[in-house]
Amino acid sequence: MYSGNQLREMFLKFFEQKGHSVQPSASLIPKDDPTLLLTVAGMVPFKPYFMRQVEPPFPRAATSQKCVRTPDLESVGKTARHHTFFEMLGNFSFGDYFKKEAICWAWEYITEVLKLPTDKLWVTIYPEDEEARNFWIQEAGVNPGRIVQDPENFWAAGPVGPCGPCSEIYVDLGDTRGCGKEDCAIGCDCDRFLEIWNLVFMQYNRDEAGTLTPLPKQNIDTGMGLERIASVMQGVDSNFDTDLFMPIINKTAQIAGVTYKRDRKTDIALKVVADHTRSVCFMLADGIRPSSDGRGYVLRRILRRAVRYARLLGIEKPFLEQIFVVIRDHYAHWYTELKENENFIRNHLRLEEKNFQATLEQGTLLLLEKVKSLREEGQKELSGEDAFHLYETYGFPVELTEEMLLEEGISIDMESFKKASEEHRRLAKEQSRQMKAAVENTALLEKAKTLGPTRFVGYQELTADCAVEALFTDEGETDSAGEGEEVLCLLNLTPFYAESGGQVSDQGILTADKATARILELRKLPSGAVSHKILVQSGVLKKGDKVQAAVNKENRRAVAIHHSSTHLLHHALRKVIGEHVQQAGSLVSPDRLRFDFSHFSALTREEIPAVEDVVNGLIRADLPVGTGEININAARAKGAIALFGEKYGEIVRVVEMGDKSIELCGGTHVRRTGEIGLFKIISEGGIGAGLRRIEAVAGKESISYLRGIENELNEINILLKAQPQETAKKVQTIFQQMKDLEKEVQQLTAKLSKFEADSNLAKVLEVQGVKVLAARVQAPDMETLRQTADMLRDKLLEGVIVLGAIAEGKVNLVAMVHPAGLKGLHAGKIIKEVAAITGGGGGGRPDMAQAGGKDPSKLGEALDKVTAIISQFLG
């Protein structure tokens, strides 16, 4: 029996022997692909090669690719095969070999390496793919009777992009795994016939209109789920029973104090927790952070679903970190990011689990309110819409809601729940279809690929003599562009830095003999070429023109000052608040910098100036700033800090500032830290769970910022008639005067309220033997209104009090029944009726309630009707 780890290595070794370059798994964050939130298939990292946007560095490759898919989230745990995270084994050809080799090697691996019996194997083909059928029979030697046509054998990774017909290999797991029907065969919904390998013959590109266009070269993309083939080779009933999952399931069962394979509901919950925690840990390891949108929302939703199902198992305390340890121990030898980013993973698991516990408590309170309302209305069924609201907003699985309601003798309208769920899925799919890639100028991409990468000379020079190699409009390539036209331009070399790594693009001018153009935007294309979006300001710029490219020096210098400051800030944060700090993003512009970093609390009043002191100390030290390109392993050995979640090549650029800061960076910098001049933090705050953001200014901008503060302080001193050194003392004096005046106002308000109370007692009426006082009073807020009602209650001794006041354009209302339960009257019900007249609502206890209203003009009418409302309640 082969382990999952052995099967992964066997597959890659087999194809390495067939001349494939074995590549490490790409990140779960797709690179430069706006059509996908996550890496959903093995071929995703190779899309630029299939599309020939970039020339492949190798003709054939093999990988074990991390993938996450969530369309079938609800099926996880209920079936033998559905997962959110899975590993896809695959071999790929980029215009090298095609159907014949892919088919023969797949059959060789399955039958000769894994030694699966041929009488248990089936093959499916696309009905129109006669070529594949012939290769299966004539080259691989498959029995024609075991080849089945399937019109759904056409595969694509997303709504647009490479696609083509495919062939699938199935294994027959035997009668005991089937449904028992006489017509049970390939395509049956039962578990007997299991698809283990999909061979995609990538022949076409599908555009947004659905049109299929032949690819420049034919490609191969195959995918075999590691979890599936492990279940076959280990002879177990489901993927969850393989050694890829069992350590996680066993640990979860141990924490919960339950036993696997004793109860179906328990088994489902254990499988969901195992699948989801594995998915979450790998997503975190690739730098995905929980958030309220995008891939961060996908992560948060999966994590919360794991916690919810853990509650069904009886796990009430935080447990995810314990499961992570199992996942790390089982997978980190292959996926080292689980170990390298352990602190980051643990911190986010801990924080998300804690925050979700609070959310669950809110949802539970909401559910209890629903139960109370249903009982009062004599109902015994929760609507499907309400159940779905609990699921979507608070993360309650319908199973958890159902279990909690069962204890109250209440059921769920599952039919309407399914309809609400289906409608949500429909809208989500529609939204997914509308996700489109940024429209690229096809002619530009083809030309850029032909020309190759643009040589960047901007590290050394801010002016350069260049040649215009091509010009493009929206319609395609053009020979010239006149005054006022915006076009895309390719140069043979460039001094302009194209936006990357958080640093904004350079500004500048192109000057030809008979034309000038201003740089509007710079973009690095997949081929490495730089696209210059320009506005022709005078004359006519032509293809082939010799031009002088000049970078705006002041702008570049300001950007460099802020970029070098981010490196010093990163060092200072790690020194002041801890080595756990990791950069999570940045923006470097001429006028400011923004630095996002991992930390789980706000910086204190002491920490912010301490960070500034470290940065400014390094600036005053006037450290030399050096750059150089070295091997990635050598850079890591020197202690170079890399951007978390970023993938780097073999050769990297290192920026060193003395012996204090060393980072991997492709940006532009000052030559010595003293050139920065001054650094000042202007704000620090949270932008998400475990994520903080600092905004700061440096150089001239820091002087401008401090001068602005100085000017404001001067204006304040003029108003205060104070000298600069007296400002704080003068403000404290004013605050004390304000407090004294507020105290005096409160005393006068109390006297006025007492006077009002005495006069209002004369308005007491009697309704069926109950004293009733309904009056409008002066009260600036609800607290004062309640105090006035308390005063009247003490004087009235027994009866009903309803008071109203207008504050800030809204109605405030208070009702009191004293003693509680007087003749069956309920303050909350009384106030609800009164508030409704003013367009508001409220409620409360039998003895005291408060409410608000929207229409102040109706307050008098509402108070006039109090006696009638009480009379109605008295019957």
Side-chain angles (χ1 to χ4, degrees):
M1 183 180 79
Y2 296 115
S3 69
N5 289 331
Q6 287 174 319
L7 288 168
R8 186 192 298 115
E9 292 173 10
M10 287 166 60
F11 179 89
L12 296 175
K13 185 177 180 181
F14 175 83
F15 281 100
E16 187 175 37
Q17 292 170 347
K18 300 293 184 185
H20 291 65
S21 173
V22 174
Q23 295 295 304
S25 172
S27 170
L28 286 168
I29 304 173
K31 188 176 182 181
D32 301 326
D33 191 344
T35 65
L36 295 170
L37 280 179
L38 294 158
T39 300
V40 296
M43 60 76 65
V44 169
F46 299 125
K47 279 175 75 173
Y49 302 162
F50 288 132
M51 294 290 292
R52 285 305 190 276
Q53 293 172 339
V54 178
E55 280 304 312
F58 30 73
R60 51 182 79 169
T63 62
S64 178
Q65 175 61 47
K66 300 175 292 187
C67 302
V68 170
R69 293 183 197 168
T70 57
D72 300 313
L73 188 65
E74 301 297 331
S75 299
V76 174
K78 297 175 183 176
T79 72
R81 315 294 170 205
H82 283 101
H83 303 294
T84 53
F85 173 88
F86 56 94
E87 293 180 72
M88 186 62 77
L89 305 173
N91 57 291
F92 308 90
S93 166
F94 313 113
D96 184 19
Y97 63 83
F98 199 47
K99 292 183 186 180
K100 176 183 174 182
E101 292 84 352
I103 287 170
C104 291
W105 288 338
W107 196 250
E108 178 186 346
Y109 183 75
I110 288 291
T111 59
E112 296 182 23
V113 178
L114 298 185
K115 300 189 182 303
L116 290 176
T118 56
D119 61 352
K120 294 293 183 182
L121 299 175
W122 291 81
V123 172
T124 64
I125 59 169
Y126 190 57
E128 299 172 22
D129 195 356
E130 193 62 30
E131 183 183 31
R133 176 183 170 83
N134 289 336
F135 283 135
W136 281 113
I137 297 170
Q138 296 169 13
E139 301 294 336
V142 176
N143 182 340
R146 303 191 77 82
I147 299 176
V148 179
Q149 291 187 355
D150 186 344
E152 293 187 6
N153 271 25
F154 198 91
W155 196 90
V160 298
C163 57
C166 61
S167 275
E168 297 169 330
I169 300 176
Y170 283 78
V171 61
D172 182 355
L173 299 175
D175 295 342
T176 56
R177 300 286 290 280
C179 56
K181 297 177 183 176
E182 290 185 7
D183 59 349
C184 181
I186 299 291
C188 184
D189 290 335
C190 71
D191 287 337
R192 176 173 175 176
F193 296 95
L194 177 67
E195 177 209 333
I196 54 172
W197 206 342
N198 188 5
L199 314 181
V200 179
F201 310 125
M202 203 69 69
Q203 296 174 247
Y204 309 106
N205 178 59
R206 180 158 55 197
D207 62 21
E208 291 161 1
T211 304
L212 296 177
T213 306
L215 287 168
K217 291 186 178 181
Q218 296 175 324
N219 308 301
I220 288 295
D221 157 32
T222 84
M224 175 163 59
L226 177 61
E227 293 80 4
R228 288 197 177 198
I229 195 62
S231 73
V232 174
M233 299 308 295
Q234 293 174 18
V236 293
D237 292 341
S238 78
N239 297 0
F240 292 100
D241 297 313
T242 67
D243 68 330
L244 296 169
F245 281 100
M246 283 309 299
I248 310 172
I249 289 175
N250 289 336
K251 182 62 177 178
T252 307
Q254 178 194 332
I255 296 170
V258 298
T259 303
Y260 183 48
K261 293 207 169 180
R262 289 274 184 88
D263 172 76
R264 185 173 182 274
K265 281 190 175 181
T266 298
D267 288 354
I268 289 174
L270 286 169
K271 291 173 182 177
V272 170
V273 172
D275 171 90
H276 288 12
T277 51
R278 196 173 70 140
S279 184
V280 164
C281 290
F282 273 96
M283 291 173 80
L284 286 169
D286 275 344
I288 300 172
R289 291 172 170 81
S291 67
S292 56
D293 58 13
R295 58 181 67 93
Y297 176 70
V298 175
L299 188 158
R300 176 168 284 167
R301 187 179 177 204
I302 295 172
L303 184 150
R304 291 185 167 188
R305 201 165 184 268
V307 175
R308 294 191 317 256
Y309 273 89
R311 287 175 75 98
L312 292 176
L313 292 169
I315 302 175
E316 299 287 341
K317 293 181 179 180
F319 73 102
L320 290 176
E321 277 193 85
Q322 296 179 64
I323 304 300
F324 163 71
V325 171
V326 176
I327 294 168
R328 180 203 64 195
D329 292 347
H330 195 69
Y331 285 94
H333 73 286
W334 191 264
Y335 298 107
T336 56
E337 57 269 29
L338 289 166
K339 184 65 179 172
E340 292 165 358
N341 302 321
E342 180 169 351
N343 287 339
F344 177 85
I345 297 167
R346 282 176 175 268
N347 286 335
H348 275 288
L349 289 176
R350 194 181 309 125
L351 185 66
E352 276 295 302
E353 198 166 7
K354 177 185 173 184
N355 290 345
F356 184 47
Q357 291 293 349
T359 303
L360 272 177
E361 288 170 12
Q362 291 177 347
T364 301
L365 290 174
L366 184 63
L367 183 59
L368 292 176
E369 283 293 319
K370 288 287 182 187
V371 169
K372 185 179 177 183
S373 299
L374 290 171
R375 280 180 170 169
E376 288 176 355
E377 296 165 8
Q379 301 290 324
K380 292 216 168 184
E381 185 177 70
L382 182 73
S383 74
E385 290 78 9
D386 283 340
F388 186 74
H389 174 70
L390 280 167
Y391 167 72
E392 187 61 22
T393 307
Y394 295 97
F396 266 59
V398 70
E399 296 88 352
L400 182 58
T401 305
E402 195 172 27
E403 187 170 302
M404 293 175 69
L405 290 177
L406 190 62
E407 298 171 5
E408 306 290 339
I410 296 173
S411 61
I412 299 176
D413 180 356
M414 291 304 296
E415 194 61 39
S416 62
F417 173 83
K418 288 175 183 174
K419 285 182 181 177
S421 184
E422 285 167 7
E423 176 64 12
H424 177 76
R425 273 199 294 270
R426 185 190 67 77
L427 292 172
K429 284 182 180 177
E430 183 64 28
Q431 187 179 16
S432 176
R433 279 196 293 269
Q434 290 171 359
M435 285 180 62
K436 296 178 180 178
V439 177
E440 295 282 10
N441 187 315
T442 306
L444 171 69
L445 290 176
E446 285 299 317
K447 187 73 172 183
K449 188 172 67 175
T450 303
L451 295 173
T454 304
R455 183 160 64 94
F456 176 62
V457 297
Y459 289 136
Q460 299 83 22
E461 304 292 337
L462 296 185
T463 59
D465 294 327
C466 313
V468 177
E469 299 204 310
L471 295 168
F472 298 87
T473 65
D474 290 341
E475 283 72 37
E477 191 168 1
T478 182
D479 290 331
S480 62
E483 185 174 331
E485 281 192 81
E486 288 186 10
V487 292
L488 299 177
C489 172
L490 295 177
L491 302 173
N492 64 325
L493 56 87
T494 184
F496 300 112
Y497 183 88
E499 181 173 346
S500 178
Q503 179 176 325
V504 299
S505 295
D506 277 332
Q507 299 173 3
I509 297 290
L510 295 180
T511 306
D513 286 343
K514 296 181 180 180
T516 60
R518 179 163 58 89
I519 300 293
L520 300 178
E521 181 183 303
L522 298 156
R523 279 194 63 216
K524 202 164 188 179
L525 301 175
S527 64
V530 175
S531 167
H532 304 68
K533 185 177 183 181
I534 60 174
L535 170 64
V536 180
Q537 294 180 311
S538 65
V540 177
L541 186 68
K542 298 178 181 178
K543 178 181 176 180
D545 276 356
K546 303 296 182 183
V547 296
Q548 184 185 65
V551 176
N552 183 315
K553 294 180 181 179
E554 284 303 309
N555 183 78
R556 167 71 80 85
R557 179 176 172 78
V559 171
I561 284 171
H562 282 108
H563 200 155
S564 295
S565 295
T566 64
H567 286 224
L568 297 180
L569 173 60
H570 194 183
H571 166 79
L573 286 167
R574 290 170 68 88
K575 183 175 181 179
V576 173
I577 63 176
E579 293 290 321
H580 65 278
V581 168
Q582 290 179 317
Q583 181 179 346
S586 66
L587 171 68
V588 179
S589 68
D591 56 347
R592 67 188 176 101
L593 69 88
R594 188 180 72 210
F595 189 81
D596 300 339
F597 59 99
S598 56
H599 188 54
F600 292 86
S601 61
L603 268 64
T604 65
R605 291 177 63 181
E606 295 76 27
E607 287 171 337
I608 290 176
V611 169
E612 289 180 334
D613 288 347
V614 172
V615 174
N616 285 311
L618 295 174
I619 291 171
R620 289 193 301 273
D622 195 26
L623 302 173
V625 178
T627 62
E629 292 188 348
I630 59 174
N631 180 273
I632 182 71
N633 294 325
R636 285 175 174 152
K638 289 182 72 173
I641 296 175
L643 183 62
F644 183 39
E646 186 67 30
K647 296 292 183 182
Y648 296 91
E650 283 299 310
I651 302 299
V652 293
R653 185 169 181 261
V654 174
V655 176
E656 298 183 63
M657 298 184 180
D659 60 353
K660 300 298 182 183
S661 169
I662 174 168
E663 295 194 23
L664 305 186
C665 178
T668 59
H669 291 272
V670 297
R671 289 165 296 182
R672 302 187 71 88
T673 59
E675 295 176 28
I676 296 171
L678 181 66
F679 170 86
K680 179 65 182 171
I681 293 174
I682 59 177
S683 70
E684 189 277 337
I687 56 171
L691 211 56
R692 309 296 297 176
R693 171 172 290 169
I694 281 178
E695 295 199 11
V697 286
K700 287 182 179 179
E701 293 299 326
S702 60
I703 302 295
S704 299
Y705 173 75
L706 292 173
R707 188 164 291 149
I709 291 176
E710 186 179 30
N711 290 338
E712 287 186 21
L713 187 59
N714 287 336
E715 289 183 25
I716 292 169
N717 285 328
I718 291 170
L719 293 172
L720 295 175
K721 297 179 180 178
Q723 293 299 316
Q725 64 270 22
E726 298 174 340
T727 307
K729 187 176 179 181
K730 195 85 172 180
V731 170
Q732 285 174 349
T733 301
I734 292 172
F735 268 120
Q736 188 58 50
Q737 289 173 350
M738 287 176 61
K739 285 182 181 178
D740 293 342
L741 289 171
E742 285 172 0
K743 189 175 180 180
E744 190 175 337
V745 168
Q746 287 174 353
Q747 291 171 346
L748 291 171
T749 302
K751 289 179 181 179
L752 181 61
S753 297
K754 186 176 184 301
F755 174 77
E756 259 192 341
D758 291 340
S759 62
N760 280 326
L761 285 171
K763 299 176 184 178
V764 174
L765 301 174
E766 195 167 298
V767 179
Q768 297 184 38
V770 176
K771 293 177 184 177
V772 178
L773 172 58
R776 175 175 174 173
V777 297
Q778 299 298 318
D781 51 43
M782 185 64 80
E783 179 62 29
T784 305
L785 188 62
R786 282 198 302 269
Q787 290 174 358
T788 303
D790 286 338
M791 190 185 306
L792 286 167
R793 179 197 61 200
D794 294 341
K795 289 179 177 293
L796 191 61
L797 299 180
E798 181 184 289
V800 178
I801 299 167
V802 179
L803 300 183
I806 296 172
E808 298 180 353
K810 294 181 181 179
V811 176
N812 287 335
L813 293 162
V814 166
M816 289 188 176
V817 175
H818 186 69
L822 176 66
K823 291 203 173 182
L825 293 171
H826 191 293
K829 294 180 180 178
I830 293 170
I831 205 74
K832 186 177 180 181
E833 296 290 332
V834 177
I837 299 169
T838 66
R845 305 191 307 266
D847 61 326
M848 196 282 285
Q850 63 187 46
K854 300 175 183 176
D855 189 352
S857 68
K858 297 283 188 180
L859 177 58
E861 180 186 342
L863 293 171
D864 289 342
K865 290 185 177 179
V866 168
T867 54
I869 290 169
I870 291 173
S871 181
Q872 182 182 349
F873 279 122
L874 290 170

